[in-house]
Amino acid sequence: MTTPSDATPADSTSSDSAAPPRFEGRPERFRVMLEDDHPHLFDGGMGTEIYARGVFINRSFDELNLTQPDLVKAVHQEYVQAGAEIVETNTFGASRPKLEAFGLGDQTVEINRRGAEIAREAVGERALVAGAIGPLGIRMEPFGPTSRDEARAFFAEQAGALAAGGADLLVLETFGSFEELKEAIAGAREACELPVVAQMTIGQDLRTTFGTDPDHFIPQLEEAGADVLGLNCSVGPAAMLAGVERIRPLTDLPLCVMPNAGLPREVHGRKMYMASPEYMAKYAARLIKMGARFVGGCCGTTPEHTARMHDAVRSLHPARVQPHPHPVAEDVVLAKDDRAQTIGSFGLSGGFNLIHFNPTLQRFGGMPGASRLEGKTRITLEGAMPEGKVRVDKLDIQGED
């Protein structure tokens, strides 16, 4: 696979720039939004809107920035007319690895730059433009061949092109792996100085596809340098509301939430999103009252959803909830081959500092099991484990004395 460093000069926004590009003006408008006491509205789904307008899913929707820019521009314009204050570019799948699957890798920079330019042409000064960046669609080490440096370079390439096209901020969204999202944040920071919104996707159980819960990924993403944290896609607004309730006490950064229009259902062979504009509007208001600062829509949401959400949230004020520290529990005893060693303390609600429980450890030949022993918690490692720190996403001892 071609990496950004292998690209020809025509594929690079700048071959010798020493510092990330600076864009004054509109990005500062977003920074003002971060500090004010008002809710702000993103647009809704782009991919499902494009599909609804007759574009088949067996092609790159991001390529439409070059082949059908008027179609993309029309979607942006309808969202702004519906009341969106921030629109996302049609570049969610425009990283080099994803574009190479369509034979478009050498057009990565152009597709992203044009995506930002089209959005700017569509909205003018009526709204801000958020450069949309999604996962790479390839496995990152240790679960795949892509190194962290390579992943970071792919994200930096996309972020730099979006900034060059006039994006006011970046939205890194629909990430199932917080480790990959951390590399996306790092790549964005290397490429430009635009504000960064970082969003994970969760299931009905409030965990990511890798089994990680918010108690673990929220502090890590805050430390990575995101300006806004949030959730998007995968589930409808009810699960997102539960997610916000869970993460609001974990950080004092602004929160952004973009649910799907419910869970998709198959109707006559087609995937349909069933949540009505009125339903989404009701939950948008609840999300703001729960503490979200930014709301919007993801798959299945339309300009009509955005219009109803705008009416529902424009007069509200987000709740302000101060984060609280994780309570400290007793020492942890790590036992292997009948030898016990005390290795430290952990937080009752997840233990993101020292110990993180992850079922994927089974892949390494061992599944930690927890039991009580003499007032402490014993972790027994069964079978061979990799050397280094034991990684666990959640050690659930809540309710134990």
Side-chain angles (χ1 to χ4, degrees), residues 74-136:
V75 176
H76 290 316
Q77 289 172 333
E78 290 186 22
Y79 275 122
V80 172
Q81 291 167 0
E85 299 173 80
I86 307 169
V87 300
E88 292 192 43
T89 57
N90 178 42
T91 55
F92 172 77
S95 62
R96 182 175 289 268
K98 283 196 170 181
L99 290 176
E100 284 191 341
F102 296 95
L104 301 169
D106 60 350
Q107 296 178 274
T108 299
V109 170
E110 184 181 6
I111 287 173
N112 282 280
R113 186 178 62 244
R114 279 298 294 145
E117 291 171 349
I118 291 166
R120 173 60 56 212
E121 293 165 5
V123 306
E125 297 299 320
R126 296 176 295 168
L128 298 182
V129 172
I133 297 177
L136 298 175

Side-chain angles (χ1 to χ4, degrees), residues 4 48 52 68 73 84 189 221 232 241 278 302 306 349 368 390:
T48 47
Q68 293 181 256
K73 184 184 296 185
R189 293 301 187 204
L221 298 177
N232 81 292
L241 184 66
E278 293 77 14
T302 67
T306 299
S349 56
V390 178

Side-chain angles (χ1 to χ4, degrees), residues 207 210-212 357-363 366-368 391 393:
R207 291 174 177 266
F210 286 86
T212 313
F357 173 79
N358 193 327
T360 58
L361 283 173
Q362 294 179 82
R363 298 181 183 179
M367 180 67 171
R391 293 297 300 275
D393 283 334

Side-chain angles (χ1 to χ4, degrees), residues 381-392:
L381 304 182
E382 301 173 353
M385 296 294 295
E387 293 187 11
K389 294 181 178 179
V390 178
R391 293 297 300 275
V392 182

Side-chain angles (χ1 to χ4, degrees), residues 243-259:
V244 171
E245 184 177 18
R246 177 76 172 273
I247 68 178
R248 178 66 283 178
L250 302 177
T251 179
D252 57 359
L253 289 180
L255 298 183
C256 181
V257 188
M258 303 181 192

